[in-house]
Amino acid sequence: MNALNRWEDAVERWQDALLDRIRHREPVELVEALQRECDERAVVCSRCRVVAPNAYEIDLPPDVYRKIARHARKIGLQLTDALVRHGENRRYEWAGPLAVRLRPADLEPGSRYRISSAPMAHIRANAFPD
């Protein structure tokens, strides 16, 4: 039983280290990529109104997603918060409630992630299909 506890502790430390790496390094890159996606897809409706997509999906390689799956929702919420601040600074209006979701996907070789967005009315953070 003692060996099992040590093994469990080692796995938890590994997961925490991986999550810290993703939170402190990758999110900066992901946040910047989300901001670019937002800026590129924003639509100028009038001089005073710019509408940005509100549903964002970040596709990750399946092995990377499996490593963070337990925390994917929390990371998605943190990325959503960062995107909200970006939109406030740019005075964007969202097409509906804002949500960012991470999901596993087959990507081109060498790709670390892919971001897509769409304006979707009445989207909820938990409304993405699995």
Side-chain angles (χ1 to χ4, degrees), residues 46-67:
S46 71
R47 200 179 81 198
C48 302
R49 186 171 185 226
V50 179
V51 178
N54 63 307
Y56 293 80
E57 292 186 326
I58 301 174
D59 296 334
L60 299 169
D63 59 323
V64 172
Y65 183 81
R66 273 192 303 275
K67 292 175 184 173

Side-chain angles (χ1 to χ4, degrees), residues 19 23 26 30 33 35 42 46-47 61 75 79-80 88 112 118-120 124 130:
L19 193 56
R23 282 185 184 151
E26 291 296 322
L30 286 176
Q35 291 171 346
S46 71
R47 200 179 81 198
I75 294 168
L79 293 169
T80 301
E88 288 173 351
R112 294 183 352 202
M120 298 176 72
R124 296 185 325 268
D130 287 325

Side-chain angles (χ1 to χ4, degrees), residues 23 27 31 73-83 85:
R23 282 185 184 151
V31 168
R73 185 178 174 114
K74 184 176 181 180
I75 294 168
L77 290 172
Q78 290 172 341
L79 293 169
T80 301
D81 290 343
L83 201 52
R85 288 189 301 276

Side-chain angles (χ1 to χ4, degrees), residues 38 41-43 45 49-56 80 83-84 87-88 92-100 117-125 127-128:
C38 179
R41 301 280 308 242
V43 176
C45 297
R49 186 171 185 226
V50 179
V51 178
N54 63 307
Y56 293 80
T80 301
L83 201 52
V84 164
E88 288 173 351
Y92 289 157
E93 289 182 32
W94 304 107
L98 184 61
V100 177
S117 64
M120 298 176 72
H122 312 300
I123 193 80
R124 296 185 325 268
F128 287 99

